[in-house]
Amino acid sequence: MLLQCTDIKKWYGAKPVLQDIDLTLVVGEIGVLLGPSGCGKTTLLRIIAGLTVPDNGRIHLDNQDITDQPVHQRSLGMVFQEYALFPHKNVLQNVAFGLRMLHWDQPAIEERVAQVLELVGLAGFGSRLIHELSGGEQQRVALARSLAPAPRLILLDEPLGALDRALRERLMLDLRQILKNAGNVLGRPEGMTAVYVTHDQAEAFAIADKIAVMNNGRIEQIGAPQTVYRQPATPFVARFLGMENIFEARLISQMPL
């Protein structure tokens, strides 16, 4: 397992925010935390990132216990809804920022920046200023900047939330392919392993290899997108996915397969 979260719990005062969370991802797997606002999905992402300390449980990354490890030592990439780009730097300088912090030499920086900009569909945009870009292009720059240092795991917190519907749908369709193809550029043939937070079911099913549906700080169901959709484990999951006709029933007999 590349990522293993075991028995994660978190309280804010007397209020439990996360309860009994177990989550695993294999190398190259895209896991989506799906649920309504306030269900705990961003808190779990922040715990994985090291921005929030769990009250119970352990986080392992590549068989290493990182629960108490500082953020900057975890080798993670992070993409947020607000882009968090430097407005006074151009695209190349924004994407190169993490590489400079890692003391890469200039030829290697220029080669990697060109590679990841092509990966996210922004080849030739290096000299553009941030304010000259659309919202979707800015989010692609933020994604390129996170991918450039080849992190072990990339975390995405509602990355399409600030975009209008048309831009969101276009980037949603591209994003899975970018993460899967990133391995060819970053020396990770299985593709990038990612944890993706969203409340949007369409996003989740377009991007995920594995979906964890969350409600009131718990994971109600976790599995492949097709399984979660076709076989919702609880009434909450069924209703959250838009299934209105839910009836109590008792299985009397079953046809042999």
Side-chain angles (χ1 to χ4, degrees):
M1 294 296 172
L2 184 101
L3 174 68
Q4 186 169 17
C5 304
T6 307
D7 197 23
I8 301 298
K9 296 181 174 67
K10 183 66 182 177
W11 290 269
Y12 287 125
K15 179 181 179 182
V17 179
L18 292 174
Q19 305 176 66
D20 308 319
I21 298 293
D22 293 314
L23 175 69
T24 60
L25 293 178
V26 299
V27 174
E29 194 170 32
I30 302 171
V32 174
L33 305 180
L34 173 65
S37 297
C39 71
K41 54 189 186 293
T42 293
T43 301
L44 178 56
L45 192 81
R46 289 177 60 85
I47 287 173
I48 296 169
L51 299 170
T52 298
V53 178
D55 293 316
N56 187 78
R58 310 304 296 176
I59 307 286
H60 287 82
L61 187 63
D62 214 6
N63 296 318
Q64 177 189 7
D65 190 334
I66 63 167
T67 312
D68 303 315
Q69 196 173 66
V71 178
H72 65 277
Q73 294 180 3
R74 297 192 179 200
S75 186
L76 304 178
M78 289 182 268
V79 180
F80 302 101
Q81 181 175 328
E82 301 83 6
Y83 317 141
L85 299 173
F86 299 112
H88 60 289
K89 296 179 183 290
N90 64 21
V91 168
L92 186 153
Q93 292 166 335
N94 267 279
V95 177
F97 179 77
L99 304 178
R100 294 190 192 284
M101 295 298 100
L102 295 172
H103 308 294
W104 284 37
D105 61 42
Q106 190 59 31
I109 288 175
E110 291 176 0
E111 180 181 9
R112 176 54 61 83
V113 169
Q115 290 172 333
V116 293
L117 285 179
E118 183 174 0
L119 175 67
V120 301
L122 295 179
F125 277 61
S127 62
R128 298 276 189 95
L129 298 175
I130 296 304
H131 72 263
E132 296 174 335
L133 305 179
S134 69
E137 290 167 343
Q138 289 185 38
Q139 194 57 289
R140 288 174 189 265
V141 174
L143 181 59
R145 182 179 62 185
S146 293
L147 289 172
R152 292 188 289 178
L153 176 71
I154 189 165
L155 308 175
L156 304 102
D157 189 8
E158 300 272 8
L160 309 184
L163 305 179
D164 62 41
R165 171 54 66 177
L167 280 174
R168 188 183 311 150
E169 289 179 354
R170 180 179 175 184
L171 187 50
M172 176 176 67
L173 295 174
D174 290 346
L175 192 50
R176 177 179 170 84
Q177 203 61 38
I178 289 170
L179 293 172
K180 292 299 181 182
N181 289 341
N184 300 327
V185 174
L186 306 176
R188 300 191 185 282
E190 306 88 352
M192 283 302 305
T193 312
V195 179
Y196 188 106
V197 164
T198 184
H199 64 273
D200 187 294
Q201 295 96 322
E203 268 182 55
F205 284 93
I207 291 167
D209 296 312
K210 176 184 287 183
I211 292 178
V213 182
M214 297 185 64
N215 180 39
N216 289 330
R218 295 183 182 275
I219 293 178
E220 295 251 345
Q221 184 174 1
I222 187 165
Q226 300 91 331
T227 302
V228 172
Y229 186 78
R230 293 174 180 171
Q231 301 172 26
T234 68
F236 170 83
V237 174
R239 291 191 179 96
F240 188 75
L241 297 180
M243 302 170 193
E244 298 295 336
N245 296 325
I246 301 171
F247 304 96
E248 289 188 10
R250 180 167 58 91
L251 180 64
I252 297 174
S253 63
Q254 185 172 349
M255 296 290 291
L257 296 177

